[in-house]
Amino acid sequence: MKSVRPPLIPRVLLHLLLRGEEREVICGDLEEEYRDLASKRLGSAVTKQWYWRQALRAVTGRSVERFHRMGGAVRGPRGGPKGAPGYTGMPKGGDTLREIGQDVRFGLRALGRRPMFTVVAGLTLALGVGANTAMFSVLDSVLLKPLDYPDSRRIVQVWSWRPLSKSTLAEIEGDVSSFSSVSGYVTERLALTGEGAAEEIPGAAVSPSHFSVVGIQPAIGRAFTPEESEPGRDAVVILSDELWSTRFGSDPDVLGMSITLDGSPTTVVGVMPSGYRPIVQSWRVWVPLTIDPTDFSDYSGTAGTKVLARLEPGATPARARAELAPIARALREEAPQAHDDEFVAAATVTPLLDARVGSIRSTLWLLLGSVGLVLLIACANVTNLLLAQGRSREREMAVRQSQGASRGRLVRQLLTESTLLGLLGGAVGVLVAIALLSVLRYHLQGGVPRGDAISVDYRVLLFATGTSLVTVLVFGLIPALRAAGTDVNASLRDGGCRGRGGRRGMNQALVGLEIAMSLVLLAGAGLLLKSSWLLQRVDPGFRSENLLTMRLNLPAGSYSEEEAIAQYFQQVEERVAGLPGVISVGSIWSLPMRGSSMSTIYEVKVHPLPEGAPRPAAMAQFLTPGTLKTMGIRLVRGRWFDDSDSPEGPTVAVINEAMAREAFGKEDPVGQEVEMFGNLSFTVVGVVGDVRQLGLDQGSRSEAYFSLFQIPAMSAVYLTIRTAGDPAASIAGVLDAIARLDADVPVSRIATMDEVLLTATADSRLMTLLFSLFAGIALVLGVVGVYGVVSHSVSERTYEIGVRMALGARSGAVVREVMGKAAIPVGFGLVVGIVGAYAATRLLDSILFEVQPADPAVLLVVTVVLGIAAMIASLTPARRAATIDPARCLNTE
Amino acid sequence: MSRALGGFEQLILLAMVRLGDGTYGVAIRREIESRTGKEVSTGALYTTLERLEKRGLVSCLLGEPTPARGGRRKKLYTMEANGMRDLQASYRAFASLVEGVEGRLTLADGPSGGG
């Protein structure tokens, strides 16, 4: 029995609102009963509910009772201004509840009397709390919430997402006892034809145990059987609920139905439950992963099977990893070329959640940290506002104290006011958070794992309430203690026109701190902006404007012959090229920035490498001759593919500049022989400029190009179409031409190349956007802070300045003097900020592109911008100081 | 001064008659709940007991703290003569109203048929 104590919140409630004997007896009864119910194992939820209910009824019932009893007292004698605590008519040690009510009412009235202050302070808090809540929601949904699978913490990814051979999969299955089940998967894009338009559907080939690893079985039908992994018996498929409803109208007779997948008839054996989130979000179909015992290529260590497993209860990833190590060592001994050190080091076991969110984790914490700075700035600002307010109200406090209000009472009154302000800020902050989240969710959808699951939930509300209450304590306590410590006599004597310099130290320190934190955020934003700008200037190696792209996937059943594939590409390009508005057409296997790539090791004939030495690798790209002109790739030397490069002719390749440098140095590569794909020999006929295949931020790598008309190795390609005008306007015509040629070829991923580029840089742009947003808020808050403090110090020093002007001080000197004083904390903040930025921006290193974290130009620019903004902020109140009418000020004494 | 007892007051006093002298909140509450099948609010119970105490119908004294109550004391209640008198008066009124129609009332299905 671990927790027999009743829930905390109602217990505290009872404790606060009941008193004396009544509290003792009622709390005792409820606790006794609670323990009794808990020991009967009624279920903790039922027991807790019971306690809550009882506590709430006790509290409300008692309060109403008491309210009736004190009846007249509440509406009692009206000695002084009504409601103000501390005035007459307050019985000593009066009812707590009534006093709280009074404090709240008085606090609301006090806030209402100063609408400017309330709005500025409330909005400042709302921005801070709202931005934090939004950021925390993202962090919570992406990093903290467990995945939607039963016992999801036991699901692990094996070997760092490295593709393994199926034989290695079998070894892991047999040798690692820490896993209760192991499964392999290969992502697939399958063509679904037959009823309705041909469609390419993302999915996976999975081993039969996949569904027990994930812990979720099909809602209708069954999972795959082990026999269905055998070639020839694998013509079965499991559908997602969404595919079942959109494509098959949720037909209850779907089980046993035959559908056409990749051109072959396939039987539906199951439908996954609705709301099921697959391991890879886009998957909508599952087919069996076949293991052919007679296919030796499958056992050579080159196949691309990724492995997922479920840990035995009580087993740890570390233990499983120790069991993987012998398998990795054996593989290395068998085939050292294929299994380098990196491969052996990658033999790890990672919880699935960590594996999926890995890259984004540090980024999100970084964003939460920066948004935390925004909240600190907001708090500092509000504290300053309250301090200033507290000073103006010193007289008010003194009057109350002189009329008999205790210091404790005044502190409580001021704290109530701050709490109200904090709650107001928190409530508006939640609205700000919801608005921010709707923007964020839209931007995060594709780029961030689990980005679609982001929502505001009760934990986030707790976080918001927590931050806003902590904020309240931080900024409420200091001014309250100050105000209550006021010397009554001094305040009453003092006309309020003279300055009390010592008090300003606190404000100045806070302003300095605000400036410093703003500078750190601005530096971060500046670095990211520069990085984004540099990224946009990168030459991708092709011309992206007026370029339409779409993916064609030839169903394997109908296009199994290489000739048929080559013929199809030729025909589709001819037909599309004949459409109005189309300038040229090409087909490329792996569209730049779209992810997939393939590598081959190569060897230059004239420079043979010693036996056993590691071979260099190049990315392989397959395309049709029309692609060079269509994409605008630059031909540097030699020639491009032409009609002479047929399957019958000598095999030729074009290489990029990076490969020419790597393989041939200063020699001319044209005419040289290179061995690739094992022992196939290719003649290099030309060199082209580097294309940023893997992303704009990835450097150029060696790449070899092959003609699809000579080696029709790929049955799925991206059709690229250069248009004279808006590429989107050509989509309908192109689709029509493709459908007329063969309606069973699914078309997917239709996008202009500009859109593809935008998607590829979405992460970096989102990060820049968020950081700029936070830094912008910080800048505004920092400037408001400087303005507020200078402005207040001017009004405090009205008397002093008045005297000096009466004695002949020039207005220019007054302005200089006021601004000079303001410059001290600002300058101090800038210096601290530069040091802070220097240390903190290092955290951005991994996401910066070609910018050093401590880029001096960026630091200089943001320091100057912030300095000028602070000067402008102090200029207005300084000017006001210079217009003080000495006669008027002196008359108030 | 005898004022007519309210329904809930009657229930409490009846439960106390059943439980005997020196009973306390939890026991009274359980007795009423188990007989009527309705949940009783502890807050309301004590509000009513306080009222009965003020009218001199019940008396109470504080007991010893027990660990089961988180170290808190119980209030032990005993029925006073006035309480018994008022309860008897209520019962008489009730019985005279029931007289002659018992058959129709007992036909209604009562889960425990208590009393």
Side-chain angles (χ1 to χ4, degrees):
Chain A
M1 288 281 273
K2 58 176 195 244
S3 156
V4 283
R5 299 227 71 179
L8 182 70
I9 299 172
R11 201 148 40 94
V12 169
L13 219 60
L14 284 171
H15 201 80
L16 284 178
L17 293 168
L18 300 180
R19 275 172 311 129
E21 210 171 76
E22 177 177 275
R23 173 158 83 197
E24 175 132 9
V25 173
I26 290 182
C27 289
D29 269 21
L30 289 180
E31 181 142 355
E32 184 180 337
E33 199 96 339
Y34 181 83
R35 289 185 192 211
D36 192 55
L37 286 174
S39 71
K40 283 182 188 150
R41 304 191 177 281
L42 262 178
S44 71
V46 176
T47 314
K48 275 186 189 145
Q49 262 174 30
W50 175 86
Y51 191 88
W52 266 98
R53 204 163 52 231
Q54 283 284 347
L56 288 179
R57 278 160 75 176
V59 167
T60 49
R62 301 262 91 187
S63 310
V64 169
E65 180 96 348
R66 203 182 297 147
F67 182 78
H68 284 305
R69 237 183 289 148
M70 62 193 187
V74 171
R75 274 158 259 123
R78 291 192 173 180
K82 58 176 176 183
Y87 287 99
T88 50
M90 278 289 305
K92 264 259 155 90
D95 206 66
T96 321
L97 211 67
R98 185 159 48 116
E99 282 186 10
I100 290 175
Q102 232 172 19
D103 281 347
V104 168
R105 260 177 289 130
F106 189 74
L108 284 176
R109 224 177 298 138
L111 289 176
R113 264 203 309 272
R114 293 165 290 155
M116 262 311 278
F117 162 77
T118 308
V119 167
V120 170
L123 273 184
T124 304
L125 271 183
L127 279 178
V129 169
N132 272 274
T133 305
M135 219 39 245
F136 185 78
S137 299
V138 173
L139 192 94
D140 182 42
S141 312
V142 176
L143 297 185
L144 304 182
K145 268 191 211 150
L147 295 165
D148 292 333
Y149 309 111
D151 251 344
S152 66
R153 287 178 210 289
R154 280 167 54 204
I155 306 176
V156 292
Q157 165 251 72
V158 180
W159 227 298
S160 318
W161 289 145
R162 281 299 175 102
L164 303 173
S165 73
K166 290 169 188 168
S167 60
T168 310
L169 172 64
E171 268 177 64
I172 294 172
E173 217 165 351
D175 294 358
V176 182
S177 65
S178 301
F179 296 147
S180 63
S181 45
V182 178
S183 76
Y185 74 81
V186 176
T187 49
E188 303 256 10
R189 299 183 71 87
L190 299 161
L192 176 60
T193 50
E195 290 165 59
E199 200 180 346
E200 189 189 54
I201 307 201
V206 297
S207 31
S209 52
H210 176 79
F211 301 96
S212 44
V213 168
V214 171
I216 294 176
Q217 300 289 328
I220 306 173
R222 57 170 177 84
F224 300 128
T225 62
E227 293 74 46
E228 282 162 353
S229 302
E230 288 166 28
R233 305 181 63 171
D234 59 332
V236 287
V237 62
I238 292 172
L239 310 175
S240 74
D241 180 77
E242 187 249 330
L243 185 62
W244 178 46
S245 66
T246 54
R247 188 82 192 200
F248 302 99
S250 300
D251 182 354
D253 295 330
V254 74
L255 293 184
M257 187 187 272
S258 180
I259 63 174
T260 312
L261 269 188
D262 268 0
S264 348
T266 311
T267 310
V268 178
V269 297
V271 178
M272 292 306 285
S274 75
Y276 169 63
R277 288 173 191 276
I279 300 293
V280 173
Q281 213 173 305
S282 57
W283 288 354
R284 291 195 288 155
V285 287
W286 292 263
V287 294
L289 181 69
T290 53
I291 294 180
D292 183 354
T294 61
D295 182 359
F296 285 95
S297 69
D298 203 40
Y299 285 77
S300 68
T302 53
T305 309
K306 294 179 178 180
V307 181
L308 269 183
R310 180 171 276 268
L311 288 171
E312 283 282 3
T316 60
R319 202 178 96 199
R321 183 178 183 171
E323 288 186 87
L324 274 185
I327 300 175
R329 277 197 299 273
L331 280 172
R332 190 189 167 88
E333 271 165 34
E334 264 168 46
Q337 307 97 315
H339 305 111
D340 53 8
D341 290 341
E342 216 182 307
F343 179 84
V344 175
T348 55
V349 174
T350 320
L352 184 61
L353 178 59
D354 295 352
R356 282 186 57 183
V357 301
S359 58
I360 199 87
R361 182 184 294 270
S362 50
T363 309
L364 285 180
W365 282 112
L366 197 63
L367 280 172
L368 191 69
S370 53
V371 86
L373 278 187
V374 173
L375 184 63
L376 281 181
I377 295 172
C379 289
N381 236 348
V382 175
T383 307
N384 257 343
L385 281 172
L386 274 170
L387 277 175
Q389 288 291 322
R391 269 199 302 276
S392 340
R393 293 173 69 192
E394 270 171 15
R395 258 176 89 86
E396 177 193 335
M397 295 293 144
V399 168
R400 282 204 207 153
Q401 249 178 302
S402 72
Q403 298 202 353
S406 70
R407 282 188 178 186
R409 189 70 214 282
L410 288 182
V411 167
R412 210 174 63 202
Q413 170 59 41
L414 286 172
L415 275 179
T416 309
E417 253 179 72
S418 314
T419 309
L420 286 174
L421 198 58
L423 289 178
L424 179 80
V428 180
V430 169
L431 297 182
V432 171
I434 290 170
L436 263 177
L437 265 187
S438 63
V439 177
L440 275 181
R441 205 179 297 128
Y442 172 77
H443 283 284
L444 288 171
Q445 206 100 46
V448 173
R450 311 173 83 194
D452 59 323
I454 293 166
S455 60
V456 183
D457 70 0
Y458 75 97
R459 281 202 275 186
V460 172
L461 275 175
L462 268 183
F463 182 84
T465 323
T467 29
S468 123
L469 281 181
V470 166
T471 310
V472 161
L473 275 182
V474 168
F475 72 64
L477 210 55
I478 304 167
L481 290 176
R482 275 241 155 125
T486 307
D487 178 353
V488 180
N489 292 325
S491 278
L492 285 179
R493 259 202 323 270
D494 189 348
C497 210
R498 287 183 200 146
R500 287 171 298 281
R503 290 284 171 82
R504 275 198 299 276
M506 180 82 181
N507 296 68
Q508 304 224 331
L510 284 171
V511 163
L513 211 63
E514 272 183 55
I515 292 289
M517 291 190 287
S518 304
L519 184 65
V520 171
L521 285 178
L522 281 173
L527 289 170
L528 284 167
L529 279 170
K530 184 170 175 186
S531 162
S532 265
W533 179 69
L534 287 173
L535 199 58
Q536 259 158 32
R537 287 183 10 142
V538 168
D539 173 15
F542 55 85
R543 288 187 296 122
S544 63
E545 73 285 355
N546 289 354
L547 191 57
L548 182 65
T549 72
M550 56 185 73
R551 190 176 145 89
L552 300 179
N553 187 350
L554 306 187
S558 355
Y559 293 89
S560 51
E561 302 293 316
E562 291 194 340
E563 282 152 48
I565 296 174
Q567 200 188 357
Y568 176 84
F569 290 151
Q570 209 136 25
Q571 283 175 343
V572 84
E573 286 192 7
E574 270 168 27
R575 297 225 181 166
V576 173
L579 294 172
V582 172
I583 296 173
S584 67
V585 183
S587 307
I588 187 165
W589 168 63
S590 171
L591 194 68
M593 324 289 163
R594 277 288 199 195
S596 59
S597 74
M598 181 169 144
S599 293
T600 169
I601 51 176
Y602 69 84
E603 189 173 1
V604 180
K605 272 268 175 65
V606 293
H607 302 301
L609 289 159
E611 196 65 34
R615 264 60 176 162
M619 289 188 293
Q621 175 71 283
F622 299 85
L623 33 63
T624 59
T627 315
L628 179 88
K629 185 185 170 208
T630 308
M631 290 197 58
I633 299 170
R634 214 157 30 91
L635 182 65
V636 181
R637 294 183 82 92
R639 69 166 177 90
W640 181 244
F641 300 113
D642 58 31
D643 292 341
S644 66
D645 306 317
S646 64
E648 294 77 32
T651 47
V652 297
V654 170
I655 61 176
N656 70 351
E657 286 182 300
M659 183 167 171
R661 259 194 316 276
E662 183 185 80
F664 299 97
K666 292 207 169 94
E667 291 170 51
D668 185 359
V670 176
Q672 298 274 7
E673 295 279 304
V674 180
E675 267 191 8
M676 284 179 279
F677 301 114
N679 49 12
L680 292 177
S681 180
F682 292 86
T683 309
V684 176
V685 293
V687 178
V688 291
D690 296 340
V691 170
R692 302 277 175 139
Q693 182 67 27
L694 301 176
L696 290 177
D697 54 345
Q698 304 287 318
S700 303
R701 294 213 222 157
S702 294
E703 189 167 16
Y705 294 83
F706 307 95
S707 169
L708 273 171
F709 288 158
Q710 185 168 56
I711 313 166
M714 302 295 171
S715 60
V717 296
Y718 284 89
L719 200 61
T720 58
I721 302 143
R722 169 124 348 242
T723 55
D726 178 14
S730 304
I731 294 175
V734 173
L735 289 180
D736 183 56
I738 294 169
R740 275 198 215 176
L741 184 59
D742 182 349
D744 278 351
V745 172
V747 182
S748 61
R749 299 186 149 196
I750 303 167
T752 66
M753 201 62 209
D754 281 331
E755 287 166 354
V756 173
L757 276 180
L758 274 181
T759 315
T761 52
D763 279 2
S764 129
R765 274 180 300 123
L766 178 67
M767 189 74 184
T768 311
L769 174 83
L770 283 177
F771 238 96
S772 310
L773 189 71
F774 298 158
I777 296 175
L779 179 66
V780 171
L781 292 182
V783 166
V784 168
V786 171
Y787 173 83
V789 166
V790 176
S791 173
H792 199 81
S793 89
V794 166
S795 52
E796 260 198 336
R797 293 172 58 204
T798 310
Y799 179 76
E800 175 207 325
I801 294 170
V803 170
R804 286 169 58 183
M805 305 254 314
L807 293 175
R810 296 230 189 94
S811 60
V814 170
V815 170
R816 267 198 302 282
E817 203 262 352
V818 170
M819 286 186 66
K821 279 218 166 129
I824 295 169
V826 170
F828 174 74
L830 288 179
V831 171
V832 173
I834 289 172
V835 175
Y838 197 80
T841 49
R842 211 161 293 192
L843 298 171
L844 287 173
D845 200 14
S846 64
I847 47 174
L848 289 178
F849 172 72
E850 288 185 355
V851 180
Q852 289 305 309
D855 188 285
V858 169
L859 275 183
L860 184 71
V861 169
V862 295
T863 310
V864 168
V865 166
L866 191 56
I868 290 176
M871 269 172 64
I872 294 173
S874 57
L875 189 63
T876 321
R879 280 237 180 93
R880 204 178 61 229
T883 57
I884 286 173
D885 180 357
R888 222 199 217 159
C889 176
L890 297 176
N891 276 343
T892 59
E893 262 300 89
Chain B
M1 64 189 282
S2 72
R3 188 171 69 160
L5 292 172
F8 192 44
E9 291 170 340
Q10 286 176 19
L11 288 181
I12 292 174
L13 290 174
L14 281 169
M16 287 177 67
V17 172
R18 302 180 67 89
L19 293 165
D21 287 355
T23 185
Y24 75 117
V26 172
I28 298 171
R29 218 174 52 75
R30 280 191 190 158
E31 186 67 23
I32 298 173
E33 279 186 358
S34 70
R35 298 273 158 196
T36 64
K38 280 184 192 137
E39 191 174 318
V40 171
S41 146
T42 306
L45 177 70
Y46 279 104
T47 311
T48 312
L49 277 170
E50 208 177 305
R51 203 156 56 221
L52 292 174
E53 192 192 333
K54 269 196 193 135
R55 278 158 54 187
L57 305 187
V58 300
S59 62
C60 73
L61 62 123
L62 277 176
E64 288 305 304
T66 65
R69 300 170 63 80
R72 294 190 190 85
R73 289 178 298 175
K74 309 178 174 175
K75 229 172 174 181
L76 300 170
Y77 287 90
T78 301
M79 173 96 88
E80 290 296 313
N82 283 350
M84 196 47 132
R85 194 198 59 213
D86 279 10
L87 188 60
Q88 281 165 349
S90 295
Y91 181 67
R92 266 198 303 280
F94 183 72
S96 76
L97 276 169
V98 169
E99 207 179 331
V101 293
E102 294 96 334
R104 281 155 73 185
L105 291 171
T106 42
L107 270 180
D109 57 330
S112 58

